[in-house]
Amino acid sequence: MSETHDPAGHNAFDDLARDAVYQAIFGRRDVRSQFSTAPLDDAVLARLLNAAHHAPSVGYMQPWNFIIIRDMARRQAMRELFLAARQQELPQIETERRALYAKLKLEGICESAVNICVTCDRNRSRNSPLGRWHNPQMDLYSTVCAVQNFWLAARAEGIGVGWVSIVDTPALQRLLGMPDHVVPIAYLCVGPVHGFANKPDLERVGWGTRLSLADLIMSDCFGGEGEAELKQIAKTLSG
C-alpha cells in the first residue's frame, strides 16, 4: 500500500514545536504588577528585538524603530504622563465601574527592568506605494505585528511585557524627542517577572470576559450564517 501524504501538514512544525507556539500565544499576559527586580540580559533583549524585526510588513517597508528607555528620570516623567492621562480617561468610564477602574494596576513603568517604545517611521517607505496606495495605514499595522512578535518571543523567554496605552501621544513624542513623522505605536514595560497569571488581569477582576469564538465566525459576508461544523469545533476548543 502506498504511503498517504497530507499536503496540509507537509510544512508543519513537529508536535513539540507547534505546541510551544500555542503555549506562548495562550500564556501571553499584559504584565503590570508581577515584575521582579532582576535585570534584563542584553542577549535576551536582542533576541526579542530580532523577533520583532522579523515581523511581516506590507511592501517589506520595516517601518519600526525601538527606543530603549533605561533612564529612571525619563521613566518617572513617562509615569507622570500616564497618571495625567488616566485622570482624563476616568470621566469616560461608566459610573458604576469607576471604583474598579481606580483600583486597577495598569502599568509597570518604574518597576520593570526596561521600557521600550516601538515607533513607526511614516517616511521610511514614502517612495514605495506597494500595499499602501489604497491603505496608507498599513505601515502602522505592520508595526503592530512587530509588537506582537516581540510579545510572544518574550513569553517564550519567560519575560513579562506590559503595554501602556493610557498616554497622550503628542506628550509622549515630546518626551522622547520624536520628529513629527515618527509615531509611537507601543510603550512597553519589559523585564523578568515573578510569574504569569493564569488569566488576564481584567478577566480575573471581573472587568470583562473572553468572547465566544463561535459567535465571531461569519460565513461569506458580515453576519452571514453557516460554518456550523467550524463553530462547533471552536466551541470545543474554548472548553
Side-chain angles (χ1 to χ4, degrees):
M1 181 180 295
S2 63
E3 183 178 345
T4 60
H5 176 62
D6 177 15
H10 180 64
N11 292 306
F13 292 175
D14 63 45
D15 290 351
L16 288 176
R18 182 195 62 205
D19 290 348
V21 172
Y22 285 114
Q23 183 180 356
I25 291 170
F26 298 139
R28 182 210 57 81
R29 293 291 178 264
D30 193 350
V31 176
R32 288 106 175 222
S33 58
Q34 294 90 358
F35 288 108
S36 73
T37 57
L40 177 59
D41 186 87
D42 275 356
V44 176
L45 178 55
R47 289 199 294 270
L48 303 185
L49 294 172
N50 195 38
H53 186 47
H54 281 75
S57 62
V58 172
Y60 206 42
M61 63 182 74
Q62 306 167 73
W64 42 71
N65 285 300
F66 308 97
I67 304 175
I68 313 300
I69 304 129
R70 303 183 190 272
D71 179 65
M72 188 55 67
R74 196 178 298 270
R75 289 164 65 175
Q76 289 171 341
M78 172 60 187
R79 190 166 190 273
E80 291 300 318
L81 294 182
F82 160 80
L83 292 173
R86 183 168 180 166
Q87 284 301 113
Q88 294 168 347
E89 185 175 75
L90 180 60
Q92 312 306 318
I93 303 297
E94 300 95 323
T95 302
E96 63 273 13
R97 301 183 106 190
R98 288 179 187 172
L100 176 56
Y101 176 86
K103 295 178 182 178
L104 294 175
K105 171 72 170 172
L106 297 176
E107 52 79 32
I109 296 169
C110 295
E111 298 93 332
S112 56
V114 67
N115 293 180
I116 300 173
C117 187
V118 184
T119 68
C120 176
D121 185 338
R122 309 215 68 187
N123 281 352
R124 185 160 298 166
S125 59
R126 61 184 174 183
N127 295 323
S128 176
L130 176 60
R132 294 185 67 200
W133 181 253
H134 294 94
N135 297 289
Q137 70 275 26
M138 293 309 297
D139 55 344
L140 303 174
Y141 298 160
S142 296
T143 306
V144 173
C145 290
V147 176
Q148 180 79 336
N149 268 23
F150 182 96
W151 214 335
L152 293 177
R155 181 61 189 89
E157 296 273 6
I159 300 300
V161 177
W163 188 328
V164 182
S165 60
I166 305 173
V167 62
D168 178 70
T169 296
L172 177 56
Q173 288 173 305
R174 290 192 295 271
L175 177 66
L176 300 184
M178 298 180 198
D180 291 341
H181 65 275
V182 173
V183 179
I185 298 299
Y187 192 96
L188 305 176
C189 306
V190 182
V193 293
H194 296 296
F196 293 91
N198 291 330
K199 293 182 178 181
D201 285 350
L202 293 181
E203 182 177 355
R204 180 178 54 81
V205 301
W207 186 269
T209 58
R210 189 172 300 281
L211 300 176
S212 167
L213 172 58
D215 293 341
L216 306 176
I217 297 173
M218 302 174 187
S219 179
D220 287 321
C221 64
F222 192 88
E225 297 293 336
E227 299 293 348
E229 183 176 351
L230 177 60
K231 290 180 180 180
Q232 185 57 48
I233 296 172
K235 288 179 180 179
T236 303
L237 291 175
S238 299

